[in-house]
Amino acid sequence: MLAKRIIPCLDVDKGRVVKGKKFQNIADVADPVELAKRYNDAGADELVFYDITASNEERNIFLDVVEKVAREISIPFSVGGGIRSIDDINRVLRSGAEKVSINSAAVTNPSLIKQAAAKFGNQCIVLSIDAKETSQGKWEVFINGGRKNTGIDAIEWAKYGEQLGAGEIVINAIDTDGEKNGYNMTLTRAIAGAVNIPIVASGGAGKLEHFSQVLKEANADAALAASVFHYEEIPIPTLKAYLAAEDIIIRREM
Amino acid sequence: MIAIIDYDAGNIKSLQFALDKLNVKSVLTKDPQTIKEASSIIVPGVGAFKDAMKSLNELGMVEVIMQVAAAGKPILGICLGMQLFYEKSFEDGEWQGLGLLKGSVNPIPDNVKVPHMGWNTLTKHADSTLFHNIIDDAFVYFVHSYAVGGVYEKETLVASAEYGGTVPAIVQKDNVVGMQFHPEKSGTVGLQLLTNYLEMIS
């Protein structure tokens, strides 16, 4: 049976893992390679790294981090942030990442998803969607780190992303991100129901129940979180024992 | 020395890193002589079937692989690398494969989410030294949209996973071994499977 996945997310700035709330107020957390290794050993099913640096010089530091991580861990990981071209994707995959996550560039250039899926296979192209509720029951896609509203309907965008060849969707709910009050259940459920590719829920995990809710009731295939893992508020083995007791199929042995 | 065939597939470094962890010397190569001298060759694979076959053909690798396979050298295909061993694939058309194993590569039915992505359990079908220190129903990491099917030789099936039907997960015919999942990304279980493969061929 296919297991639901637990995915720690590491935002990397200038070679360090940082944590922001609603994409702001960045605080330094840890060394990415050490943290990745810790999560690998604790039973994380996958990792996500976002490069939140801007300059090209820092991009090279990040690629160096990716390669060191690939050397240290034996679980898959994806890489996102600043991916704009087939060359960018190639560099990241060649550094040892399993998948790439494309966000803003997919909105400005949807053909990038199509070309990348054709070249590298759908399975390694992840469409990352930052969505915010702009009116009751309507979510729109935001880009540039959550600063710019594109006016695109998030559910329609997810469907289009699947058509273009994305193999997975990460849905980041900007409203719930960093609040620790639970994932956005309505949005996650709506997107899981609209497409036939795996869905990763992101933004809002604070308690054990939040994970079981989003995996069970919102049909997410995976749940992503950052600070609850980084600050050891929820140890991964504890979370996995809890989810297994909730009859969720989960990988326990490492 | 293990030769990992370099045909410009996506992520192949992680396989090298996994072999490094096991203290096994490996080289990423396109050189026929290196491949012929290696103790085993590994055909990795990320990407599309037709592009992979095209690259292998352009690099003159098809002939080399067929030669070393016929000579009895152990060959391991991982993910798309395993699929390339079969007669044909129906990924975006119909494409001829290496034909080392009987059967075809077909789309995973869409009554389940495609790609098959994540950790799934292995069901054992045959006794194999590959299972040394591997518990029943061990989880390994899959990520693929096509799976081996058609008229394949059932006796080659060593382990399978359930996903919209039976997905051949480990296959073996003499010196040819395939793993549909990524042992290099499957935690300690994956590293143990690679260790077992290396012991099996040593």
Side-chain angles (χ1 to χ4, degrees):
Chain A
M1 296 276 276
L2 188 68
K4 300 280 188 179
R5 287 170 281 152
I6 298 300
I7 309 178
C9 172
L10 296 79
D11 288 346
V12 179
D13 183 21
K14 301 182 185 74
R16 295 286 293 174
V17 177
V18 294
K19 174 59 195 161
K21 188 179 177 186
K22 288 205 175 178
F23 298 6
Q24 284 159 14
N25 305 325
I26 309 291
D28 186 83
V29 177
D31 172 69
V33 182
E34 270 173 42
L35 195 57
K37 199 165 182 313
R38 203 169 87 204
Y39 290 141
N40 176 84
D41 296 346
D45 297 308
E46 201 171 312
L47 301 176
V48 171
F49 290 84
Y50 281 114
D51 178 11
I52 61 167
T53 54
S55 74
N56 285 331
E57 194 180 317
E58 287 161 357
R59 174 102 346 120
N60 289 334
I61 299 175
F62 180 74
L63 282 175
D64 192 42
V65 167
V66 170
E67 184 162 334
K68 280 186 184 143
V69 167
R71 210 175 264 286
E72 287 296 325
I73 68 174
S74 48
I75 55 171
F77 66 95
S78 64
V79 162
I83 305 280
R84 289 193 175 79
S85 65
I86 293 288
D87 270 358
D88 290 341
I89 297 171
N90 200 28
R91 262 194 294 276
V92 163
L93 294 179
R94 281 252 158 192
S95 299
E98 206 68 28
K99 306 187 242 185
V100 287
S101 180
I102 306 175
N103 190 326
S104 301
V107 173
T108 49
N109 175 22
S111 70
L112 178 61
I113 298 275
K114 197 171 182 175
Q115 286 169 18
K119 184 165 173 61
F120 303 105
N122 302 33
Q123 74 288 335
C124 61
I125 306 302
V126 181
L127 177 63
S128 177
I129 303 176
D130 292 338
K132 195 171 179 176
E133 193 165 17
T134 49
S135 58
Q136 181 78 39
K138 181 164 175 66
W139 290 273
E140 289 178 329
V141 179
F142 281 64
I143 57 170
N144 300 346
R147 288 186 296 273
K148 187 181 170 194
N149 185 2
T150 64
I152 299 168
D153 181 82
I155 294 160
E156 290 307 314
W157 177 234
K159 287 191 207 168
Y160 186 49
E162 178 185 30
Q163 266 179 38
L164 288 169
E168 184 171 61
I169 289 174
V170 177
I171 179 72
N172 313 297
I174 297 176
D175 305 278
T176 55
D177 186 53
E179 296 293 329
K180 299 193 176 179
N181 291 322
Y183 291 95
N184 189 319
M185 298 288 288
T186 322
L187 173 63
T188 308
R189 193 184 293 117
I191 290 188
V195 297
N196 196 43
I197 53 179
I199 296 297
V200 181
S202 164
K207 290 190 218 159
L208 295 172
E209 300 90 281
H210 297 152
F211 289 87
S212 62
Q213 278 162 5
V214 83
L215 295 172
K216 259 188 186 170
E217 294 160 32
N219 303 322
D221 299 281
L224 180 149
S227 61
V228 291
F229 297 139
H230 296 342
Y231 299 115
E232 297 179 68
E233 289 159 26
I234 299 183
I236 291 168
T238 310
L239 172 60
K240 288 197 148 186
Y242 169 82
L243 295 174
E246 290 285 303
D247 291 328
I248 292 172
I249 296 164
I250 209 91
R251 162 184 165 257
R252 298 292 298 283
E253 89 276 7
M254 288 158 240
Chain B
M1 174 76 81
I2 307 276
I4 303 171
I5 300 198
D6 185 2
Y7 60 98
D8 303 317
N11 173 17
I12 26 187
K13 251 190 194 158
S14 54
L15 181 60
Q16 264 189 304
F17 294 158
L19 294 172
D20 287 351
K21 279 194 196 102
L22 301 174
N23 293 316
V24 175
K25 283 210 173 73
S26 66
V27 59
L28 194 58
T29 182
K30 298 174 180 173
D31 173 45
Q33 199 53 37
T34 310
I35 291 167
K36 282 176 191 157
E37 285 166 10
S39 56
S40 169
I41 65 174
I42 300 184
V43 186
V46 176
F49 191 96
K50 76 166 177 206
D51 293 345
M53 280 308 293
K54 191 167 164 254
S55 293
L56 289 177
N57 270 311
E58 284 169 1
L59 294 165
M61 280 296 129
V62 170
E63 211 171 88
V64 178
I65 295 171
M66 297 309 283
Q67 274 173 19
V68 298
K73 193 188 290 291
I75 300 186
L76 172 63
I78 292 175
C79 198
L80 176 65
M82 157 175 154
Q83 297 180 358
L84 296 172
F85 292 167
Y86 286 83
E87 293 166 302
K88 58 184 168 182
S89 168
F90 292 98
E91 179 180 342
D92 292 330
E94 184 179 334
W95 312 97
Q96 203 188 330
L98 296 169
L100 292 167
L101 298 171
K102 284 198 173 64
S104 59
V105 181
N106 309 302
I108 292 172
D110 64 3
N111 59 340
V112 286
K113 291 189 181 190
V114 180
H116 173 209
M117 186 184 284
W119 298 80
N120 205 338
T121 47
L122 288 179
T123 303
K124 299 174 182 175
H125 291 266
D127 275 338
S128 170
T129 46
L130 287 171
F131 293 135
H132 181 66
N133 282 340
I134 301 286
I135 59 164
D136 285 346
D137 300 322
F139 280 99
V140 288
Y141 188 81
F142 288 86
V143 53
H144 61 122
S145 303
Y146 295 81
V148 168
V151 189
Y152 65 89
E153 296 167 277
K154 302 292 183 239
E155 62 276 15
T156 60
L157 189 63
V158 178
S160 68
E162 271 306 299
Y163 196 73
T166 300
V167 173
I170 303 179
V171 295
Q172 179 171 14
K173 188 179 185 185
D174 306 322
N175 57 321
V176 178
V177 176
M179 297 187 188
Q180 177 60 70
F181 53 92
H182 286 272
E184 77 280 16
K185 289 279 178 174
S186 293
T188 50
V189 170
L191 293 178
Q192 183 67 49
L193 284 165
L194 284 174
T195 302
N196 294 347
Y197 171 77
L198 296 165
E199 275 175 14
M200 185 174 83
I201 62 166
S202 68

